[in-house]
């Protein structure tokens, strides 16, 4: 039993180190706070990919009662620990139903899931093949790339639109600087992570 406890503590400690490292990159004042606008980038750097609605929910939970525009590390740490433990480890929880059947809100299998109040989502990354299919749908002429204007139009005017800042961030990573084109196969390979499961 104590071996299991030590193992769980080691896992939590490792998760805390990853969260701190990601947070510290954006803690420019070294005062354990980051600009609220950086939270999405920090969460994504930890391998989680919430949509804008989910991101706003997380921010609402970790923001101060009177929003200051900054997020404190001590508020961010427990929230991200829960999300990462749920996503990567599947820590058993007293909230898990005794039936062992998956909740419709949890995409994890019964052996790899935890239902934490308010954390029914795990921000799982989209598989590489699905991302590639999405870009291929946009590439009607099957050129293997998209024009800057073409991608910008799709991403800012369709579905859940990107903000100008999000678009600039995406293009800085996606666009070939010499040809001003987005070679989406390269971009998809670059932005997908190997999921050990």
């Amino acid at each position: 039993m104590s071996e299991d406890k030590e193992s769980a503590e080691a896992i939590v400690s490792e998760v805390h180190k990853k969260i701190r490292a990601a947070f510290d990159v954006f803690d420019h004042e070294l005062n354990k706070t980051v600009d609220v606008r950086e939270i999405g980038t920090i969460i994504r750097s930890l391998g989680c990919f919430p949509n804008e609605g989910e991101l706003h929910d997380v921010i609402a939970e970790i923001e101060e009662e009177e929003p200051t525009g900054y997020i404190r590390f001590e508020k961010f740490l427990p929230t991200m620990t829960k999300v990462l433990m749920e996503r990567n480890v599947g820590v058993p929880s007293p909230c898990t139903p005794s039936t062992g059947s998956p909740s419709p809100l949890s995409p994890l299998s019964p052996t790899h899931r935890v239902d934490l109040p308010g954390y029914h989502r795990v921000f799982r990354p989209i598989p590489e093949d699905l991302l590639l299919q999405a870009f291929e749908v946009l590439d009607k002429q099957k050129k293997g790339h998209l024009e800057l204007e073409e991608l910008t139009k799709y991403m800012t005017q369709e579905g859940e639109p990107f903000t100008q800042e999000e678009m600039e961030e995406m293009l800085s990573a996606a666009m070939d600087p010499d040809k001003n084109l987005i070679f989406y196969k390269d971009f998809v390979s670059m932005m997908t992570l190997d999921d050990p499961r």
Side-chain angles (χ1 to χ4, degrees):
M1 184 72 166
S2 71
E3 196 174 295
D4 289 344
K5 184 178 178 186
E6 287 174 17
S7 176
E9 287 173 358
I11 291 169
V12 170
S13 176
E14 193 61 34
V15 167
H16 282 183
K17 285 179 192 173
K18 287 179 182 181
I19 294 168
R20 172 162 298 284
F23 193 91
D24 285 351
V25 169
F26 295 93
D27 182 7
H28 305 297
E29 302 294 322
L30 304 176
N31 62 0
K32 297 183 181 177
T33 65
V34 295
D35 188 306
V36 70
R37 295 171 294 187
E38 303 290 0
I39 292 298
T41 304
I42 296 169
I43 291 172
R44 289 178 187 101
S45 77
L46 291 165
C48 299
F49 303 91
N51 64 35
E52 284 304 304
E54 292 167 330
L55 182 59
H56 287 292
D57 290 347
V58 169
I59 290 170
E61 181 169 334
I62 60 178
E63 245 180 343
E64 300 297 321
E65 285 186 31
E66 293 293 322
T68 62
Y70 291 91
I71 301 296
R72 293 182 301 127
F73 180 72
E74 59 265 21
K75 296 273 282 194
F76 184 72
L77 181 64
T79 298
M80 279 313 297
T81 300
K82 289 175 189 176
V83 170
L84 290 178
M85 294 299 288
E86 180 178 70
R87 178 183 183 275
N88 293 327
V89 181
V91 176
S93 161
C95 302
T96 303
S98 58
T99 63
S101 61
S103 156
L105 298 173
S106 177
L108 299 175
S109 71
T111 58
H112 294 289
R113 68 184 282 269
V114 60
D115 289 334
L116 296 167
Y119 294 93
H120 298 294
R121 57 203 178 275
V122 291
F123 311 140
R124 295 189 56 82
I126 298 171
E128 185 171 347
D129 61 328
L130 287 179
L131 281 174
L132 194 54
Q133 286 176 16
F135 278 103
E136 288 170 346
V137 166
L138 301 177
D139 181 14
K140 294 178 182 8
Q141 298 170 342
K142 308 295 182 220
K143 302 173 289 190
H145 67 270
L146 295 169
E147 309 275 332
L148 170 69
E149 299 78 23
E150 185 179 20
L151 183 62
T152 301
K153 177 182 168 248
Y154 288 129
M155 300 305 288
T156 59
Q157 297 176 11
E158 303 290 331
E160 188 175 321
F162 275 37
T163 64
Q164 183 65 32
E165 185 179 337
E166 290 168 329
M167 199 65 228
E168 288 170 7
E169 185 179 334
M170 178 185 178
L171 290 174
S172 72
M175 191 167 55
D176 181 303
D178 299 327
K179 298 183 179 166
N180 280 346
L181 297 171
I182 294 89
F183 292 95
Y184 54 83
K185 287 181 184 173
D186 296 337
F187 179 56
V188 166
S189 293
M190 178 182 69
M191 69 178 183
T192 53
L193 301 170
D194 291 330
D195 193 352
R197 270 187 265 160

